[in-house]
Amino acid sequence: MSTVEGTKILVTGASGRIGSVVTRRLRAAGAWVTALSIDDAPSLEADRVLVGDTTSQDDVADALDGVSAVVHLAALAHRDIAPPYDVYSTNVVSTFNVLAQAGALGISRAVVAGSINACGLPQNVHEVWPAYVPYDTHLPVDIADWYSLSKHQDESTARMAWRHWGIDVVTLRFPHVNSAEALRAQARQLTDDPRPGVLEGWSYLTTDDAARAVELSLTAATTGAHAFFLAADRTLAPYRTEDLLDAYAPQVPRTRRFVGREVPIDLTPARELIGFRAEQEIDLPTLDLPGTAPRTTSGTIASKEH
């Protein structure tokens, strides 16, 4: 029996790519779900469906009525999806509005959709590189776009909400999240040209795994405000991670070596804090990166006999 059974949960952004899967999963687990969406979404699988804006105090107050936990997924999820003012203001006001009202009502737990972009690298307008890999929660930030700034600010808002009202908040730094079909298409693109994936560490997560991470975050024993990365264990490029880094980020220090297609992101906090490990992976072969020396199954460079 899921420990969310019987829990009344608000899901914002419920009609979105992740939100629709989260809503369906929580309801199937026995939760009583209020779904809040900016657009009419008659196909949503929820007990209560509301159309409203997470920047509106009245809409959020109505949506929070009677709930005991919150999943806040509503956001403009890319730098270029809308004008800069709209992206930044929508995201930071929504997160503040939801967490502040939830905290003031005495709601004890919230899960927030964060982003790998909180570090500022993937959507940066300059040529930037991480200080080191694997990415971890201590990675220095370098922010030069409004979307990344909004996701970085959301984490500060979560810490403030916990300190002020005592609401426990888990912020999940999602990588690229999509359906298996869409991820397979992206894998084909990265096979042809891995370069576009370098600043995200070629990381990904399926929508089903993202929804499972949300459920685990709702039921975990963590207290306080925590933000950490999520990803599948292996990359979405069919090449060894060491070869990819040698080819596309040779100047970036590595604090350890990577085995096979291991994703260059520290996933330890996700495992320790919420017990999450991705269950779904896109099935890819492990190939030699074109232009590199062939490697053995152990990852060492194969020698040639003369």
Side-chain angles (χ1 to χ4, degrees):
M1 181 181 72
S2 170
T3 53
V4 301
E5 185 170 357
T7 305
K8 293 185 175 181
I9 303 170
L10 166 64
V11 179
T12 74
S15 61
R17 183 184 299 169
I18 300 175
S20 59
V21 182
V22 167
T23 300
R24 182 170 64 247
R25 181 184 181 94
L26 294 179
R27 193 159 186 257
W32 197 94
V33 178
T34 293
L36 178 62
S37 174
I38 192 69
D39 298 312
D40 188 31
S43 63
L44 272 175
E45 298 180 30
D47 299 279
R48 181 178 177 230
V49 178
L50 302 175
V51 176
D53 187 341
T54 48
T55 66
S56 163
Q57 288 182 286
D58 290 341
D59 289 353
V60 168
D62 186 23
L64 286 169
D65 184 33
V67 309
S68 56
V70 174
V71 177
H72 176 49
L73 305 175
L76 293 176
H78 194 277
R79 181 192 67 198
D80 301 327
I81 201 170
Y85 178 87
D86 293 341
V87 171
Y88 181 76
S89 62
T90 296
N91 291 352
V92 298
V93 171
S94 291
T95 300
F96 178 84
N97 190 26
V98 170
L99 293 183
Q101 289 204 52
L105 288 170
I107 292 170
S108 61
R109 195 160 196 88
V111 181
V112 175
S115 172
I116 191 174
N117 289 282
C119 68
L121 299 178
Q123 293 190 30
N124 202 295
V125 297
H126 304 290
E127 183 176 317
V128 295
W129 299 99
Y132 54 81
V133 290
Y135 284 28
D136 62 22
T137 54
H138 303 293
L139 187 74
V141 301
D142 186 346
I143 294 174
D145 74 277
W146 38 92
Y147 174 69
S148 300
L149 180 61
S150 75
K151 302 315 287 183
H152 186 72
Q153 181 61 42
D154 282 353
E155 295 183 9
S156 295
T157 299
R159 287 190 293 271
M160 180 281 297
W162 166 62
R163 289 288 290 156
H164 189 84
W165 291 287
I167 182 172
D168 297 320
V169 186
V170 174
T171 301
L172 302 172
R173 289 185 179 177
F174 288 121
H176 178 64
V177 178
N178 220 320
S179 66
E181 180 181 3
L183 290 168
R184 280 191 286 268
Q186 186 179 4
R188 290 191 291 271
Q189 295 174 351
L190 291 173
T191 300
D192 294 337
D193 181 12
R195 190 181 304 274
V198 63
L199 291 179
E200 294 185 3
W202 303 279
S203 60
Y204 73 95
L205 204 62
T206 67
T207 49
D208 285 337
D209 266 334
R212 190 168 63 85
V214 168
E215 182 179 358
L216 288 170
S217 299
L218 286 167
T219 60
T222 57
T223 58
H226 299 274
F228 46 83
F229 294 103
L230 298 176
D233 287 356
R234 295 191 290 178
T235 70
L236 197 55
Y239 308 114
R240 295 174 186 86
T241 302
E242 288 288 331
D243 291 344
L244 288 168
L245 293 170
D246 286 344
Y248 299 107
Q251 73 277 49
V252 177
R254 301 170 209 177
T255 60
R256 61 177 175 82
R257 294 189 64 81
F258 300 97
V259 178
R261 291 178 31 243
E262 180 185 0
V263 70
I265 296 175
D266 181 14
L267 302 177
T268 305
R271 289 168 187 162
E272 292 182 347
L273 292 171
I274 64 170
F276 176 81
R277 185 167 193 163
E279 293 181 345
Q280 297 181 345
E281 286 197 353
I282 303 304
D283 188 20
L284 298 172
T286 299
L287 307 174
D288 292 323
L289 183 65
T292 61
R295 292 180 179 261
T296 67
T297 55
S298 64
T300 59
I301 297 176
S303 62
K304 294 183 179 180
E305 294 184 2
H306 297 283

